[in-house]
Amino acid sequence: MNADRPLDGIRSIKAKLGLLVAASIMAASLVSVIGDRAGVPGWFTLPVTIAAALGVTQWLARGMTSPLREMTAAASRMATGDYSCRVTATSADEVGVLADAFNTMAADLAGADQQRRQLVATVSHELRTPLAAQQALLENLVDGVVHPDDAVLRTALAQAERLGALVGDLLDLSRVDGGRTPLALAAVDVRQLVDRAVAEAGVSRRGTVHVVDVPADLHVTADAARLEQVLANLLDNADRHSPPGGRVTVSAGPEGPDRWWLMVADEGSGIPPEQSHRIFDRFGSGDDAGGGTGIGLAIASWVCELHGGSIAAVSPPTGEHGARIRAVLPRSPAAVPTAAEPTAAPPPAAAERPTDTKTPDTTPPDDRRADVPTEESTVPAPVPAAAGPSPAASPAPSAGSAGPSTGHTAYATVPVGAPKPVIDSLFGDLWPEAGLAPQVRLLLTCLGVGVLSAIVLPYRGIGVALFGVLLVGGVVLWRTTERRRARWTVLSSVLCVALASLSVLRAAEWLTVIAIMLGVVVLTTALTDAKGLLSLVAGLASWPLAAVRGLPLLGRTVAVTSRINVLWPVVRTVAISLVALVVFGGLFASGDAVFGSWAQALVPQFAWDGLTFRFFVGFVMGGALLAAGYVALNPPRVDRVVLPEGRPVARLWEWVVPVGLVVALFAAFVAAQAAALFGGHDYVQRTTGLTYAEYVHQGFGQLTAATVLTLATVALAVRKAPRSTARERLVLRVSLGALCALTLVVVASALHRMDLYQQAYGFTLLRVLVDAFELWLGLLVVLVLVAGVRLSGWWLPRAALVSAAAFVLVGGLANPEAWVAQRNIDRYQATGKLDPYYLAGLGADAEPTIVAGLPAPVSSCILSTRPAPTPDDLLGWNLGRSRAAAQRPAGTSDPSSSTCLSQLAR
């Protein structure tokens, strides 16, 4: 199996995808089971599970789709005329077959393009010589230098005949490509056919001797005109390459019962063996080219194939020299349809098979040298334009030919779309990555923070260790980002440190979770410089997405570290040693009690569960910091994540009427609240049939939802309301200002309802948090009012975020659990009513308040159901737990004793 492309041997893309899905599911399930057996919390197990599934998928999927991306890039280069690109295809599935077919197509197109260039060069050369001679002759006639005698006219006629022959060859070539020439089959006397061809060739007077060796009784069925064309081309080619006085032999004979052969042999320099299979290429010139058009042998091959035969160059007998072209044809060929195209019409690219090495030439035999390239071979091939596709009508060579070399070409500087990695294509211009050097230091730092987290965080409560890890991670990100000196970054850093400090000041885990989550939002806003609401959301989403977006940079960084000769050997050695220590140590410790006691004494937490838990913690913390580091290093363009520009309505009343109705409803609600407030409990009970406590509790959730919907209504109205004139702006301010003012009354009513309900039924953390949320919504409404007066609200999202952080900080410093406990104690002292079960469920932050505010028997009863606090070391120290441990009376912990609580509840 190829480690780089492990699924290359599978021949079905469906099977690959099925195996990929199965392997990723198995990896995710295995990691999930390991985490569950080790007691790892789900929010630690989930990211590790996802990373394991993605890692297996990434490893197995390597090479599955890369040929498709390479084909896309190669196709874009082909559009500019560069056919040198090839696709790397190593798999045996449908994508690999497609890549092979693409490479064949690219080679064919390259051959067609090369032949087109050779055609232009060859035709230009062939036309230039006779035209230049005719021009010179006509100029001499005009100037009176020569007189129009027979010799001069014969020279002009020879040049005109050469032009006619070139045009005839090009016409034959068009028939080859179109396959539009049918065979006119008839009985043919081969001897007579050869005699006529030899007689016509003798007119050229090239000084060669023609010898005919054909039996007189050889009769076949064929197209006589096409066979004469073959003989003419072969004889002309042999005459041109034979020395003066040389002998050209034309022979023929039967080849079995249903075939016959025809051969033309000369005494020239011959055909090199390595070029014998290439001479039937069109438009080309070999090393011994004679200066002709280079399509005579290609036409001869086409005619033979039309007859169902073949033609090839054969080696001369030992001791002889010269070239021998031998054709084998059927005695009675089948008729070829008019539209049929020859199967082996013009061979592939000249880069694989040099073209006809024996082409006609008008140069006198004495002046020709077989080892000197002719002028035709030095004509430069024209380079196509850098833009625009190559002509669609270019003839396509046969399949199976190889393309030209992929080295330096004339297209090296053509600007075309380079193949983009799949991750770059996924994120596009919203999150580009350009010019990022490998970040070895950042990677090692995050790895160190992960190791530190795995050592200090597990088996400790929230406290100094968590705050220290968060602080170290924050310093790493602050050093990484380029916006470290911006005012918003400085303010965000202060807020994040303050929020993280709650993990040391308070023992309530829910408060720490809220503070950390809000700190993450503030942090991503600072790293991405987000301003709008959607930008804030995009910045928050960029943190988990960085685990995917940063993979290319991570790969480059790991590749750089692999070049350090000492680093990876040390890492491998340590990893293998640890694995061996854990595996064999665990086996011996579980198999022998004495060895197990020694291991327990040396490493008290030497257990699979502990090691697994620490690994999960280190992986999550280090990976989260690495993802955030990538956001700091290469922040996405979150400023582009915006709603499309709102199109204002054409008429003012189109938005005023709906908003006016909402304002009217709010006014009616305020009137109802005033009636209930001034009417008292009797009016409420008489009107609704509810007690006042039931009345105030019934509508709190609806009022909170109405406040949230009001903010959405204001945002929609601002998008749709026209503001081009002073009147329109005034109407906007008045309408939305009235709506916001009435919303503040609704907020006050909701808070009043909750206060009355808590006075009646007691205070809880949930009710206090709902109060804080409603109060924060009221603050947002005030901020919206300010933005409406200024008609500018770009600062609103950040102001809302800062206010939320301030609420959490103030609430955390106020110690919400202790505050709730104190309110319940005050209610107990005023009314004698107490919920001991709820007080017993509060955290360590409330214990000093319970001890100080309640009589000793009552507080001891409440605290007796709580486990005694375990002493914290320096890394686990927490102010809330420390105060609770210091003020709890001795002997108050008995979790199994709940009798006193039931008595207090009565």
Side-chain angles (χ1 to χ4, degrees):
M1 182 179 70
N2 185 358
D4 293 332
R5 296 187 174 188
L7 299 183
D8 272 359
I10 300 177
R11 294 182 175 274
S12 172
I13 190 68
K14 293 182 180 179
K16 282 186 176 181
L17 294 177
L19 181 60
L20 193 66
V21 172
S24 61
I25 292 176
M26 290 179 60
S29 301
L30 180 62
V31 173
S32 179
V33 169
I34 292 174
D36 182 66
R37 294 289 179 87
V40 181
W43 58 282
F44 270 127
T45 305
L46 181 61
V48 181
T49 301
I50 295 175
L54 291 178
V56 171
T57 302
Q58 178 69 17
W59 177 61
L60 292 178
R62 282 184 297 182
M64 285 182 60
T65 58
S66 57
L68 298 177
R69 295 193 300 273
E70 293 180 14
M71 275 186 263
T72 302
S76 66
R77 295 191 66 88
M78 285 182 181
T80 66
D82 181 7
Y83 304 102
S84 62
C85 296
R86 296 295 181 270
V87 178
T88 303
T90 59
S91 62
D93 59 1
E94 293 85 351
V95 176
V97 173
L98 177 62
D100 288 335
F102 184 89
N103 286 337
T104 301
M105 179 194 70
D108 293 345
L109 291 176
D113 184 65
Q114 181 68 18
Q115 291 173 3
R116 177 178 58 83
R117 298 184 195 179
Q118 290 175 331
L119 171 62
V120 173
T122 302
V123 172
S124 299
H125 173 266
E126 291 299 315
L127 289 175
R128 181 179 56 191
T129 302
L131 287 177
Q134 286 195 0
Q135 181 180 358
L137 178 61
L138 294 176
E139 288 176 354
N140 291 337
L141 288 174
V142 171
D143 296 339
V145 176
V146 296
H147 299 284
D149 54 12
D150 292 343
V152 172
L153 294 178
R154 276 195 300 270
T155 302
L157 179 60
Q159 301 299 338
E161 289 175 347
R162 183 174 182 183
L163 289 174
L166 176 61
V167 173
D169 287 343
L170 293 176
L171 181 59
D172 289 335
L173 179 63
S174 67
R175 295 190 181 116
V176 171
D177 290 333
R180 292 186 296 269
T181 304
L183 290 177
L185 298 179
V188 177
D189 187 329
V190 178
R191 178 58 184 261
Q192 294 180 2
L193 179 71
V194 172
D195 288 340
R196 288 197 305 270
V198 169
E200 292 176 2
V203 179
S204 62
R205 299 179 181 178
R206 290 195 174 96
T208 57
V209 177
H210 294 150
V211 177
V212 177
D213 182 14
V214 179
D217 59 346
L218 183 58
H219 295 83
V220 298
T221 301
D223 187 329
R226 292 300 166 194
L227 290 184
E228 289 179 358
Q229 190 176 16
V230 171
L231 280 170
N233 286 329
L234 295 180
L235 287 171
D236 183 73
N237 198 60
D239 288 340
R240 292 178 183 278
H241 292 82
S242 295
R247 183 173 61 178
V248 175
T249 303
V250 182
S251 56
E255 179 90 0
D258 56 355
R259 306 186 75 82
W260 66 284
W261 58 270
L262 174 68
M263 184 172 67
V264 176
D266 61 45
E267 296 178 346
S269 57
I271 303 171
E274 66 273 9
Q275 296 184 3
S276 61
H277 65 289
R278 306 176 181 178
I279 61 173
F280 298 98
D281 232 0
R282 61 170 75 173
F283 305 134
S285 300
D287 293 338
D288 58 349
T293 60
I295 59 178
L297 292 181
I299 293 174
S301 175
W302 167 65
V303 171
C304 292
E305 290 177 0
L306 278 179
H307 283 78
S310 62
I311 188 170
V314 296
S315 301
T318 305
E320 298 184 11
H321 61 87
R324 281 165 173 73
I325 308 298
R326 188 174 188 268
V328 179
L329 304 171
R331 287 179 175 268
S332 299
V336 180
T338 301
E341 188 173 352
T343 57
E352 175 180 332
R353 302 202 315 221
T355 55
D356 184 7
T357 60
K358 300 171 72 175
T359 53
D361 188 10
T362 57
T363 307
D366 295 339
D367 297 335
R368 179 166 46 82
R369 297 291 185 271
D371 56 345
V372 179
T374 63
E375 184 180 0
E376 178 184 355
S377 61
T378 62
V379 177
V383 178
S390 56
S394 299
S398 60
S401 60
S405 171
T406 58
H408 179 74
T409 67
Y411 306 94
T413 59
V414 176
V416 295
K420 290 185 177 181
V422 64
I423 294 180
D424 291 346
S425 302
L426 179 63
F427 291 93
D429 294 336
L430 188 62
W431 202 348
E433 180 184 298
L436 284 182
Q439 302 294 319
V440 178
R441 179 180 299 178
L442 178 61
L443 177 61
L444 296 179
T445 302
C446 295
L447 182 62
V449 172
V451 173
L452 176 65
S453 303
I455 294 174
V456 302
L457 292 184
Y459 308 107
R460 287 189 176 91
I462 59 173
V464 173
L466 178 59
F467 177 72
V469 171
L470 294 176
L471 189 61
V472 171
V475 172
V476 171
L477 297 178
W478 184 80
R479 291 286 299 173
T480 304
T481 180
E482 295 181 352
R483 300 187 174 99
R484 67 178 69 95
R485 301 190 184 279
R487 286 183 293 181
W488 174 248
T489 303
V490 174
L491 176 60
S492 300
S493 302
V494 173
L495 289 176
C496 288
V497 172
L499 290 171
S501 67
L502 293 179
S503 63
V504 178
L505 300 178
R506 297 290 171 250
E509 294 183 355
W510 62 267
L511 180 61
T512 301
V513 171
I514 293 177
I516 291 178
M517 292 176 62
L518 187 58
V520 167
V521 179
V522 175
L523 174 64
T524 55
T525 305
L527 295 180
T528 59
D529 196 29
K531 296 182 177 66
L533 178 60
L534 292 182
S535 299
L536 262 66
V537 175
L540 180 61
S542 67
W543 191 335
L545 291 177
V548 178
R549 185 64 187 91
L551 288 177
L553 179 61
L554 178 61
R556 296 196 300 271
T557 304
V558 173
V560 169
T561 58
S562 64
R563 299 171 189 167
I564 303 176
N565 296 330
V566 180
L567 178 63
W568 283 108
V570 171
V571 172
R572 285 195 302 269
T573 302
V574 172
I576 294 173
S577 302
L578 288 177
V579 171
L581 179 65
V582 171
V583 172
F584 290 101
L587 291 175
F588 290 144
S590 60
D592 185 83
V594 176
F595 187 87
S597 63
W598 293 353
Q600 188 70 20
L602 293 175
V603 187
Q605 293 181 356
F606 185 78
W608 281 109
D609 293 350
L611 292 175
T612 303
F613 187 32
R614 292 181 185 277
F615 170 78
F616 275 65
V617 171
F619 183 89
V620 172
M621 298 300 290
L625 181 60
L626 186 61
Y630 182 82
V631 176
L633 192 67
N634 181 40
R637 300 172 178 175
V638 295
D639 55 307
R640 298 189 177 186
V641 183
V642 294
L643 290 173
E645 189 70 22
R647 186 175 64 180
V649 296
R651 290 164 288 275
L652 189 63
W653 54 266
E654 291 186 52
W655 74 269
V656 171
V657 170
V659 172
L661 289 176
V662 175
V663 171
L665 288 176
F666 271 73
F669 175 80
V670 171
Q673 296 303 295
L677 179 64
F678 292 107
H681 293 211
D682 295 337
Y683 176 79
V684 172
Q685 189 169 14
R686 186 174 63 254
T687 305
T688 63
L690 301 173
T691 64
Y692 199 79
E694 294 172 341
Y695 169 72
V696 298
H697 176 260
Q698 185 183 40
F700 181 83
Q702 290 86 333
L703 297 183
T704 303
T707 305
V708 175
L709 291 177
T710 299
L711 296 174
T713 302
V714 171
L716 181 61
V718 170
R719 284 181 56 85
K720 303 304 292 185
R723 286 173 285 176
S724 57
T725 64
R727 175 175 171 270
E728 291 173 342
R729 291 191 291 271
L730 178 62
V731 172
L732 179 63
R733 287 190 175 100
V734 171
S735 301
L736 298 185
L739 180 59
C740 291
L742 293 173
T743 303
L744 290 177
V745 177
V746 173
V747 171
S749 174
L751 293 174
H752 177 64
R753 285 168 179 250
M754 181 56 71
D755 180 64
L756 293 177
Y757 186 80
Q758 291 179 127
Q759 293 294 340
Y761 296 99
F763 290 80
T764 64
L765 278 175
L766 179 61
R767 294 165 188 168
V768 171
L769 292 178
V770 171
D771 268 344
F773 180 70
E774 184 69 24
L775 189 61
W776 179 65
L777 290 179
L779 178 59
L780 290 186
V781 174
V782 174
L783 295 176
V784 170
L785 271 173
V786 176
V789 172
R790 301 176 58 183
L791 286 182
S792 173
W794 63 268
W795 48 272
L796 268 177
R798 285 187 172 181
L801 187 59
V802 171
S803 64
F807 265 71
V808 173
L809 284 174
V810 172
L813 295 176
N815 197 348
E817 291 191 349
W819 190 88
V820 169
Q822 187 62 51
R823 299 288 79 74
N824 281 275
I825 292 172
D826 294 342
R827 181 171 174 267
Y828 169 73
Q829 293 173 349
T831 63
K833 297 179 180 180
L834 184 67
D835 187 352
Y837 290 102
Y838 182 78
L839 288 181
L842 293 176
D845 291 328
E847 289 190 13
T849 302
I850 294 174
V851 172
L854 292 175
V858 177
S859 62
S860 298
C861 176
I862 292 174
L863 297 180
S864 65
T865 59
R866 299 172 56 86
T870 57
D872 294 323
D873 58 5
L874 179 61
L875 293 176
W877 184 85
N878 178 275
L879 178 62
R881 291 196 302 271
S882 176
R883 292 177 58 189
Q887 297 190 22
R888 175 180 282 204
T892 58
S893 178
D894 185 10
S896 62
S897 176
S898 59
T899 305
C900 63
L901 289 181
S902 60
Q903 294 176 352
L904 287 175
R906 290 198 299 267

